[in-house]
Amino acid sequence: MIETGETVSTLLARPGVRVERIESRGHVTPDGETYDQSEDEWVYIAAGAARLWLEDGGEISLNAGDHLLIPAHCRHRVVWTDPDVATVWIALFLSK
């Protein structure tokens, strides 16, 4: 189990698709940084809770069972993950 931070494990990688398991505990994207990916990213929260900021949608709260599609090149960042309970994400990346 991680204490704080984030671990990423690739579960599947094929041309055009990648599935990752991400475990976060108290992890946030560093100030001033954003993700800007060339792939669509669909995330599912399997456990825990998180808040994301999306350039075109503001801040969004996600809890266990919630999912979200982040379109390619939508700048985004993680602004909060639960520091007491591991947040487990399943992330599906789809290339165009």
Side-chain angles (χ1 to χ4, degrees), residues 10-42:
T10 300
L11 302 177
L12 174 71
R14 297 284 187 269
V17 65
R18 184 174 77 253
V19 179
E20 292 180 347
R21 180 188 184 275
I22 304 166
E23 185 172 325
S24 307
R25 186 183 297 258
H27 172 77
V28 299
T29 306
D31 286 341
E33 293 184 23
T34 58
Y35 296 103
D36 181 0
Q37 302 159 171
S38 61
E39 307 157 298
D40 289 337
E41 179 183 3
W42 177 82

Side-chain angles (χ1 to χ4, degrees), residues 16-88:
V17 65
R18 184 174 77 253
V19 179
E20 292 180 347
R21 180 188 184 275
I22 304 166
E23 185 172 325
S24 307
R25 186 183 297 258
H27 172 77
V28 299
T29 306
D31 286 341
E33 293 184 23
T34 58
Y35 296 103
D36 181 0
Q37 302 159 171
S38 61
E39 307 157 298
D40 289 337
E41 179 183 3
W42 177 82
V43 294
Y44 171 76
I45 304 295
R51 285 194 305 271
L52 298 177
W53 171 84
L54 303 175
E55 181 175 47
D56 62 352
E59 197 167 299
I60 297 172
S61 295
L62 299 169
N63 295 297
D66 291 340
H67 58 91
L68 175 69
L69 178 64
I70 304 169
H73 298 293
C74 173
R75 290 181 36 219
H76 62 285
R77 61 190 312 271
V78 178
V79 296
W80 178 85
T81 58
D82 194 321
D84 299 319
V85 177
T87 298
V88 178

